[in-house]
Amino acid sequence: MTKVLMQGNEACVKGAIAAGMRFFAGYPITPSTEIAEGSAVELPKVGGKFIQMEDELASMAAVIGASAAGVKSMTATSGPGFSLKQENIGYASEAEIPCVIVDVQRTGPSTGMATSPSQGDVMQARWGTHGDHPIIALSPSSVEETYRLVIRAFNLSEKYMTPVIFLMDEIIGHMREGVEISNDIEVIDRKMPSEDQKENYRPYDCADGELVPALAPMGKGFYYNITGLLHGGDGFPTNDNEVTGRQVLRLMKKIEDNRADICQSESQDMDDAEIAIVCYGGTARSADEAIFQLKEKGIKVGMFRPITIWPFPEEDFLKATKNVKKILVVEHNYGQILLEVQRLAKNLPVEFLGCINGKTISPDEIIAKVEEL
Amino acid sequence: MPSKLIQKYMREEHLPHIWCPGCSHGSFMRAVAVAVDRLGLDHDKVVFVSGIGCSSRSAGYMDFNTIHTTHGRAFAFATGIKMANPELEVILFTGDGDASAIGGNHLIHACRRNIGITTLVMNNNIYGMTGGQYSPTTPTGEFGTTAPYGNIDRDFDIAELAKAAGATFTARANTYDLNQATNLIQKAIEHKGFSLVDCLSICPSYYGRKNKKGDAVKMIQWQKEHTVSVQKAQNMTAEELQDKIVCGVLCDYDYPEYTEKYQQIIDRVRKD
Amino acid sequence: MKEEIRLAGSGGQGVILASIILADAAVLSGNNATQSQAYGPEARGGACKAEVVISDERIRFGKVLKPSFLLALNQKAADTFAKDLPKETIVMLDESITTPEGLKENTVIRLPILETAKEKVGKAFTANIVAVGAINNVLHLCDNETLFEAVKLHIPKGTEEINLKALSEGEKLRGSNE
């Protein structure tokens, strides 16, 4: 199989289209703009549609509208725009409308540094929208992984009827690498209700033991209501606490109970590692090089890389770090995944190497930090 | 016993609606059902979209594909729906605050694109759901709970705003003449491209009470006395029109509809 | 084999495209490559830096750590990036540049890249393609056909001839070694 050189943002578009994306709504913002540009070029070629909306709020709204009409949809942005999208990300979560939101993270806070790398939106991806809600977030570490993982983002979104955050960063978004474009990919489409459900259609009731509703696309003769208000089985708002409690609990459980399916991680050189470096996204590339050099020096160090950031792959993490003596968390922020690691590592010493000035953490910095431990 | 119209087009199990006695939102909601019925639209292909506020509860009462969205964003949701499936007849319920304050930017851009969405603004000059705060259509000098000393903002004419932004059909209807309202809504639905009907609704509970407008009957009476048809207005002087609101079709012209234009792009790109 | 290549110039000189072409050529020849660039807010003018890492093995970190090669197309780029260079780094400078201090132990190749584009090819904007040809002549990254394939991925239809000329003029350049 031959490889094709492409930028991370470009791979994101190619992967999304391979996954079945046929609608993209966005608003220009560095360093994600190439995703909008690529979608504008590529979508009409496959009969899909692109629209540049008036702002990020509208982009997110249009994506939900298109998905409710049955079309796989995506938007892409960076920090400032991600903040604006939060309102409707919560809506998608509550109304159970699948969609993919790409956040190519740049240095913050606020307008920050538009072309500099960061992983400062990890907690925002988890808790950016108000209220208790489930979320799935994935983070790729290479351009090739971007291609494959965005397909998985769509698949998870359709399978669990939930928004999925595709948490890229400037490092991977703007890097060019060879990508193997494979036609051998799995594509999952949302479950459809059967025709006999048309009468008295109550998708949000879900059948016994089912956690994910089969929501019919608009225009197919299944009448129901979609709303961001807590609602009953037909989607009509209700203040009945028993009904609302059950509904939100199901939302949480559909992700929680399927952690084993949703969570993905990678352990590298962890078998005999005494020190575990925990990192993800573009930062993992610095750690990769650092570990290579440290091992040449005879230092027993490995890497645990969550690919699913939310929900955090707890079991994988505990298994991977069972025999290590120390953990070093490396991320381009002031300590976000660090909090998860500290929560889970309990008795192990957890050290941290972060970066908030817009620089890329170099392998040398990681090497120096590990040697200090 | 609910009427045949209600049985056919509304979710009986969720009626009666939540609106206050005297509120005219329900009258406009019914007018929409009549218009849909008269046009013989395919029930499966009609989608009602709404934002947030009293007006936006309408969508939920309609027995169709309905989507009650976030505050101000209904235009953007509707844009996504129409883009995804241009076959759908997208009808949008909104209010004065929803459409012209928090959703003002989305409104003007939907107008500018001339995307095939029919918008009904249930304009009652106040935020009702939150209890009577002044809105962008509360007349200057009038009162709301957040304008206790009188509103110093200038008020919007939403129909004119939409027209200026590029809507290709705009009209104004009032509560007194519901026949006219139904006809205008019907025309708006039939119109290809973005259409908007500014429906002068009444809110006796908040706007009426805060501004000593009297009960629902008095407020409707006021509308009867202060509205004139477009035809009649043509022969009136500026002075005569000063305290009048013009109702009827305000603008109606052809311009290519957005999703049709996009389809042309797809056809062109795929041919190459 | 591993090359860590840094290209620098002013915005608009096409060093980013040059770096992408080198990366494309590497991938077309079955090697691995990563390409990245430093961004400023300017679309034209301003300093511009692009990097390519090429290897026959998996590339762990995608940016240049220890440049094996530096190209500078203007004085400011040369002055900025010639600082603290390892002595193994091969430095290619446009002839118009005064060789910065501190490169005594480095191989410095001075070539009339800008002039060749302007005079011999006849279009100043082909300087980056001339540079690509010159770099390949020094680093032997791939054969000339593959390099031209990579160039063709990025140029408008109808400009193949002039770009091929730029490429071969670049390959022919033999400058003074300091």
Side-chain angles (χ1 to χ4, degrees):
Chain A
M1 186 76 72
T2 52
K3 290 197 172 196
V4 183
L5 184 83
M6 60 176 84
Q7 204 180 35
N9 284 344
E10 201 181 340
C12 179
V13 175
K14 294 260 157 72
I17 288 177
M21 170 181 73
R22 291 297 178 269
F23 181 75
F24 180 99
Y27 187 83
I29 182 168
T30 306
S32 78
T33 306
E34 294 87 356
I35 300 175
E37 290 172 336
S39 299
V41 172
E42 298 300 327
L43 275 171
K45 294 182 187 169
V46 293
K49 289 166 189 170
F50 165 90
I51 189 169
Q52 182 169 309
M53 293 299 285
E54 53 274 17
D55 58 31
E56 303 280 4
L57 306 153
S59 307
M60 191 60 222
V63 157
I64 297 170
S67 181
V71 175
K72 288 188 189 176
S73 304
M74 181 171 95
T75 185
T77 188
S78 188
F82 194 44
S83 295
L84 292 174
K85 289 188 195 295
Q86 293 301 334
E87 171 196 49
N88 285 327
I89 292 173
Y91 181 94
S93 178
E94 163 62 17
E96 302 182 75
I97 309 296
C99 51
V100 174
I101 302 102
V102 185
D103 174 15
V104 187
Q105 297 166 91
R106 67 190 225 186
T107 306
S110 189
T111 313
M113 295 171 82
T115 57
S116 298
S118 166
Q119 295 175 314
D121 302 349
V122 167
M123 281 300 169
Q124 192 186 16
R126 179 64 198 89
W127 295 115
T129 193
H130 56 276
D132 288 300
H133 61 279
I135 204 79
I136 297 175
L138 313 176
S139 186
S141 286
S142 71
V143 176
E144 185 154 271
E145 190 174 52
T146 300
Y147 178 80
R148 282 184 281 113
L149 201 58
V150 77
I151 296 172
R152 186 168 148 78
F154 272 96
N155 285 347
L156 290 173
S157 145
E158 293 278 317
K159 186 172 179 182
Y160 295 107
M161 297 299 281
T162 191
V164 173
I165 313 287
F166 196 57
L167 210 51
M168 294 177 67
D169 50 55
E170 194 276 338
I171 298 173
I172 301 302
H174 274 164
M175 182 187 278
R176 284 182 176 82
E177 272 184 300
V179 175
E180 205 177 279
I181 300 286
S182 160
N183 293 320
D184 183 25
I185 51 166
E186 186 198 12
V187 170
I188 298 174
D189 295 325
R190 68 190 78 169
K191 204 164 57 182
M192 288 293 152
S194 57
E195 284 292 311
D196 60 7
Q197 285 175 272
K198 267 188 184 169
E199 283 297 311
N200 194 28
Y201 178 54
R202 297 177 64 82
Y204 293 106
D205 271 346
C206 292
D208 270 348
E210 290 281 331
L211 292 171
V212 185
L215 289 188
M218 293 166 165
K220 303 282 184 205
F222 292 82
Y223 306 152
Y224 67 110
N225 188 47
I226 301 173
T227 177
L229 285 164
L230 299 194
H231 45 265
D234 59 354
F236 198 83
T238 179
N239 285 331
D240 180 333
N241 300 128
E242 205 236 321
V243 175
T244 55
R246 200 166 55 221
Q247 190 242 318
V248 180
L249 188 64
R250 181 179 58 72
L251 275 193
M252 305 305 284
K253 281 174 75 71
K254 76 175 174 182
I255 303 303
E256 263 173 28
D257 291 4
N258 289 297
R259 273 172 177 269
D261 180 44
I262 296 166
C263 291
Q264 262 191 346
S265 66
E266 191 183 77
S267 292
Q268 186 183 322
D269 301 312
M270 283 301 294
D271 291 343
D272 63 342
E274 292 176 357
I275 298 168
I277 296 178
V278 177
C279 60
Y280 52 92
T283 314
R285 301 296 288 267
S286 306
D288 196 358
E289 177 65 29
I291 289 166
F292 177 75
Q293 292 186 29
L294 284 162
K295 285 182 84 79
E296 283 195 330
K297 294 183 187 180
I299 297 172
K300 289 181 173 170
V301 56
M303 169 159 57
F304 176 75
R305 179 170 75 90
I307 298 169
T308 306
I309 301 293
W310 302 115
F312 189 79
E314 297 185 2
E315 281 186 30
D316 292 1
F317 169 82
L318 292 172
K319 218 168 102 188
T321 57
K322 204 169 52 190
N323 297 319
V324 304
K325 293 182 180 138
K326 274 179 187 162
I327 293 173
L328 171 65
V329 178
V330 184
E331 49 183 343
H332 270 88
N333 54 43
Y334 200 61
Q336 296 194 17
I337 278 297
L338 172 68
L339 301 172
E340 281 296 293
V341 172
Q342 283 171 333
R343 178 176 70 83
L344 294 165
K346 292 198 179 82
N347 302 322
L348 278 175
V350 178
E351 296 286 331
F352 178 66
L353 176 65
C355 178
I356 50 169
N357 64 2
K359 261 180 54 195
T360 302
I361 297 176
S362 71
D364 282 353
E365 286 173 81
I366 300 175
I367 292 167
K369 184 78 187 179
V370 170
E371 286 177 335
E372 219 175 77
L373 295 179
Chain B
M1 181 68 187
S3 71
K4 283 209 171 108
L5 188 82
I6 288 177
Q7 285 178 351
K8 189 169 174 191
Y9 294 118
M10 294 185 197
R11 294 178 170 133
E12 283 175 69
E13 69 275 24
H14 295 301
L15 293 173
H17 56 62
I18 61 162
W19 298 310
C20 305
C23 167
S24 56
H25 285 2
S27 308
F28 290 113
M29 181 170 79
R30 187 179 185 282
V32 174
V34 173
V36 166
D37 194 55
R38 280 195 203 155
L39 289 167
L41 299 180
D42 181 348
H43 204 135
D44 292 358
K45 302 293 178 198
V46 178
V47 174
F48 285 98
V49 185
S50 66
I52 293 291
C54 292
S55 62
S56 292
R57 289 306 183 99
S58 311
Y61 296 124
M62 306 300 286
D63 196 16
F64 290 82
N65 275 128
T66 59
I67 177 164
H68 174 243
T69 70
T70 44
H71 202 14
R73 322 289 174 224
F75 298 103
F77 277 80
T79 297
I81 294 166
K82 187 73 182 174
M83 283 288 275
N85 186 356
E87 257 190 23
L88 298 174
E89 193 66 61
V90 180
I91 303 173
L92 192 155
F93 290 111
T94 179
D96 39 309
D98 194 49
S100 72
I102 192 164
N105 198 34
H106 308 308
L107 165 66
I108 59 171
H109 288 277
C111 293
R112 178 175 66 84
R113 294 185 189 104
N114 194 37
I115 188 162
I117 297 167
T118 304
T119 297
L120 308 170
V121 185
M122 297 189 183
N123 181 355
N124 58 7
N125 316 95
I126 203 91
Y127 285 91
M129 186 66 86
T130 44
Q133 298 74 34
Y134 73 99
S135 88
T137 65
T138 304
T140 309
E142 296 210 332
F143 297 89
T145 58
T146 47
Y149 309 112
N151 176 25
I152 58 170
D153 289 18
R154 277 193 289 177
D155 48 309
F156 262 148
D157 178 331
I158 295 178
E160 285 300 314
L161 174 69
K163 183 177 148 191
T168 47
F169 181 97
T170 60
R172 188 173 292 115
N174 62 73
T175 306
Y176 173 74
D177 192 349
L178 284 171
N179 275 332
Q180 184 200 41
T182 310
N183 291 335
L184 291 171
I185 291 167
Q186 191 177 328
K187 280 192 179 129
I189 295 172
E190 279 180 299
H191 180 81
K192 221 174 206 171
F194 190 90
S195 60
L196 179 142
V197 184
D198 183 12
C199 301
L200 304 182
S201 193
I202 56 164
C203 174
S205 294
Y206 294 111
Y207 179 73
R209 214 150 38 111
K210 271 274 158 199
N211 292 288
K212 304 193 168 49
K213 301 283 183 190
D215 61 10
V217 176
K218 278 221 173 91
M219 290 179 78
I220 295 173
Q221 189 71 33
W222 185 92
Q223 282 196 357
K224 183 191 173 190
E225 286 157 10
H226 290 82
T227 52
V228 292
S229 70
V230 172
Q231 292 74 13
K232 209 172 158 193
Q234 274 163 355
N235 301 316
M236 290 169 72
T237 63
E239 203 172 37
E240 286 170 322
L241 281 169
Q242 212 169 25
D243 66 339
K244 295 285 189 289
I245 303 169
V246 181
C247 290
V249 177
L250 304 172
C251 112
D252 183 5
Y253 65 97
D254 288 330
Y255 183 82
E257 192 271 337
Y258 192 79
T259 59
E260 287 187 356
K261 278 167 80 175
Y262 198 92
Q263 190 57 48
Q264 286 168 5
I265 290 183
I266 294 176
D267 295 342
R268 199 171 72 217
V269 170
R270 301 194 94 176
K271 214 171 72 187
D272 293 342
Chain C
M1 186 274 277
K2 190 177 185 189
E3 294 288 352
E4 299 189 52
I5 302 168
R6 181 171 285 155
L7 312 177
S10 57
Q13 281 185 320
V15 298
I16 292 177
L17 182 57
S19 71
I20 296 170
I21 289 169
L22 290 175
D24 255 315
V27 170
L28 287 174
S29 344
N31 283 316
N32 292 311
T34 58
Q35 181 278 342
S36 62
Q37 61 225 33
Y39 289 84
E42 305 92 345
R44 294 287 178 268
C48 187
K49 180 186 78 166
E51 296 183 345
V52 198
V53 180
I54 298 170
S55 173
D56 51 5
E57 286 174 32
R58 185 170 71 87
I59 298 171
R60 288 173 291 273
F61 185 61
K63 301 197 180 191
V64 168
L65 292 167
K66 194 177 154 198
S68 58
F69 185 90
L70 168 71
L71 167 80
L73 285 182
N74 70 3
Q75 190 68 48
K76 195 174 167 222
D79 293 343
T80 307
F81 295 108
K83 271 183 213 143
D84 307 318
L85 272 189
K87 62 181 190 308
E88 298 83 10
T89 310
I90 298 169
V91 180
M92 184 183 280
L93 302 174
D94 185 73
E95 236 176 26
S96 61
I97 296 167
T98 310
T99 306
E101 304 272 309
L103 292 177
K104 290 214 167 55
E105 289 180 83
N106 294 76
T107 303
V108 178
I109 307 167
R110 298 175 53 81
L111 299 175
I113 294 168
L114 301 177
E115 192 195 286
T116 302
K118 205 170 153 193
E119 304 301 332
K120 286 205 176 146
V121 186
K123 295 282 180 199
F125 64 75
T126 61
N128 58 342
I129 306 296
V130 173
V132 164
I135 292 168
N136 196 43
N137 183 47
V138 174
L139 295 180
H140 309 294
L141 298 167
C142 63
D143 56 58
N144 291 350
E145 288 71 34
T146 309
L147 192 57
F148 187 48
E149 285 306 305
V151 170
K152 279 198 285 189
L153 291 173
H154 299 282
I155 57 171
K157 275 204 181 88
T159 64
E160 290 84 358
E161 208 173 312
I162 192 161
N163 280 293
L164 183 60
K165 187 166 166 57
L167 203 56
S168 50
E169 288 298 336
E171 282 155 1
K172 279 193 282 189
L173 285 181
R174 300 287 184 277
S176 49
N177 270 20
E178 285 186 5

